[in-house]
Amino acid sequence: MLGDSMISSKYGYAASFLLALSMFQGGNEQKQQGIVEAYVPSSAVPVSSPFLRLRSGVRHHDSRLFMSSSDDASFENMVEPLAEGIDSVKWLPSLKSEKSETISSFRQGAEIIPFFPLGGIVYTPHSTHVLNIFEPRYRKMYNDILMNGSKRFIVAMAHPEEEGRFAETGVIFHLEDLKEVSEMTADQIKYICSHKVTGRAKIHRVLNPEVWETREDYMRVEATILEEEDEESDYAQLAAISEEESLKKSYSALVDLQHDLEEDVRFTRASVNTLSVNPGGGDDSLWLTVRLWQSYIEQRLNARQNEMQKEFQEKLIKYLTKDKDVSEDQLPSAIGFTDLSPDLQKEVTDLQQRMVVELEPLVLESTLTMQKILETNEHKGRVNLVRFFVEAERKRLEARKMLQNVFGIEKTVSEMVPLSEVLAIDDDDESDDCDADNEDDDDVDSQESSSIFDDENAFQ
């Protein structure tokens, strides 16, 4: 988790009571070094509460984004990547009520690989992750990949609305280290495993779909490992030079605007000169920038979440200090929901509702953004996608700057809006809301084993 030295807080002591209502299903525990002035509390009084599942709310529309005349024609005519909402991402058919079929043949180049869905999280190539394993079926999977020497499996995100559906494009987790901890944990956890994401894979089909419902075994898929461009090849170096330079310019303009507006969550000016845009998986690859963007979105969501909590936090501290006679230096590290007054309990419930309505579409949109980048096969296409989202963020800030100049509005904490609204898209269609069911929440990513960005001058 991001340490206090990496963030600054304008709230001082604050009661961050919705710890159990994390908007990122584990992502909050994996903050990357580098984003600052994301005003989150340095102290917390979490209120225990059931985990609140998010529901999708992306609008469906059909639109194109047009940039300035100086941009290349292909980028000017780029179709809005999330125009089809959830369907903008490629999904496998549902596994509900499916049965195994006799395997007669495989696609050329395809392999049988274990499949481990990990909820709504999107993982990216060349990152590292730690998983705690305790489910019997996944204990068996790890035993199998150790015995056969493959030491790898595929991870793909779950569909946010439909149970038993998973993204067609996933990533390869390669097991780097495994620790047997069953004795230390009374067999609550069997293994603590460190992994490196070595690349991407396209899943063609699940070979034993019935076990998704029975949970008696782990799933196996027919999949093709996708080859990435080699950063050493002349083609990879030359194919996207103009796009990479355009991305750098867009990013530089965004950073300048963030500092002009004194954004609470912003990149450092120094990061402009070190932005990674190259193909491949080296220390200067585009995948580092993709994870940087992912972390930025999460930090902005955290800042907005904490701003929404601020009023309640102040009331909670007043309740503890005035009504319960608790001194400020003795405020508890946690407080139960039932220990609150009826009025505060109602405020917690109301705030949960507000956070779901306002933040869940943004969480879903950020997840689909990462998945869209992941499933894009060419480096050039990924560069253009990242630039698209950078430009959309710049347009959002330019709109706020214009309002501030016209109406003399003082700076406030950023109000976040979905991408469709940033692009001024008119759409009367409403997507149906339903509970998101994230497969395999129990064996979860416990931490990022190393920071993505080690340069202390890369971020502010």
Side-chain angles (χ1 to χ4, degrees), residues 181-370:
V181 295
S182 56
E183 291 187 5
M184 292 182 288
T185 63
D187 205 38
Q188 294 297 308
I189 298 175
K190 176 68 172 178
Y191 301 127
I192 296 178
C193 305
S194 301
H195 312 79
K196 181 175 182 179
V197 180
T198 58
R200 302 178 303 126
K202 180 178 180 179
I203 303 172
H204 303 295
R205 56 176 169 164
V206 179
L207 300 175
N208 54 342
E210 71 279 357
V211 303
W212 173 76
E213 292 184 305
T214 66
R215 304 173 76 93
E216 64 188 12
D217 197 0
Y218 62 88
M219 289 183 282
R220 297 167 178 82
V221 296
E222 177 190 356
T224 300
I225 297 177
L226 302 173
E227 297 295 331
E228 304 293 345
E229 301 95 330
D230 185 354
E231 62 267 32
E232 301 297 329
S233 71
D234 293 337
Y235 174 79
Q237 290 288 343
L238 297 174
I241 286 181
S242 62
E243 286 79 6
E244 291 170 357
E245 290 303 313
S246 295
L247 171 57
K248 290 179 180 179
K249 291 178 181 178
S250 295
Y251 178 78
S252 178
L254 172 62
V255 173
D256 286 343
L257 194 54
Q258 287 177 334
H259 283 260
D260 287 346
L261 293 171
E262 298 181 340
E263 283 292 284
D264 297 326
V265 183
R266 61 189 178 187
F267 303 107
T268 61
R269 295 187 186 277
S271 67
V272 172
N273 298 321
T274 58
L275 189 71
S276 302
V277 297
N278 289 335
D283 293 338
D284 57 354
S285 79
L286 180 69
W287 288 115
L288 275 76
T289 295
V290 171
R291 294 197 293 279
L292 165 64
W293 191 254
Q294 186 176 33
S295 180
Y296 167 69
I297 295 172
E298 291 181 359
Q299 289 279 20
R300 281 188 56 225
L301 283 163
N302 273 343
R304 181 58 184 151
Q305 178 180 341
N306 279 278
E307 183 66 14
M308 294 175 70
Q309 295 177 20
K310 182 183 178 183
E311 183 179 351
F312 174 84
Q313 292 167 351
E314 293 171 347
K315 291 180 180 179
L316 176 58
I317 293 175
K318 181 179 179 180
Y319 169 74
L320 293 173
T321 55
K322 302 296 184 183
D323 297 355
K324 294 296 184 180
D325 295 325
V326 178
S327 62
E328 289 198 9
D329 59 349
Q330 293 181 334
L331 288 170
S333 59
I335 184 170
F337 180 81
T338 56
D339 295 328
L340 300 175
S341 67
D343 288 343
L344 287 179
Q345 289 183 11
K346 184 178 184 303
E347 291 217 23
V348 169
T349 303
D350 291 344
L351 183 55
Q352 289 173 348
Q353 297 280 346
R354 284 180 54 214
M355 294 177 74
V356 168
V357 170
E358 179 172 337
L359 298 184
E360 68 173 13
L362 303 169
V363 173
L364 177 64
E365 188 172 273
S366 67
T367 301
L368 294 177
T369 295
M370 292 300 111

Side-chain angles (χ1 to χ4, degrees), residues 72-124:
D72 57 276
S74 62
F75 189 79
E76 285 182 352
N77 295 317
M78 184 177 181
V79 176
E80 201 278 288
L82 303 182
E84 300 301 322
I86 293 175
D87 292 335
S88 301
V89 168
K90 297 176 182 177
W91 303 97
L92 295 169
S94 175
L95 302 183
K96 276 192 170 182
S97 303
E98 291 293 312
K99 302 295 182 184
S100 298
E101 299 179 1
T102 302
I103 301 174
S104 56
S105 62
F106 289 99
R107 292 167 178 79
Q108 185 176 0
E111 305 176 48
I112 300 177
I113 304 177
F115 179 42
F116 191 170
L118 285 171
I121 303 173
V122 179
Y123 296 91
T124 55

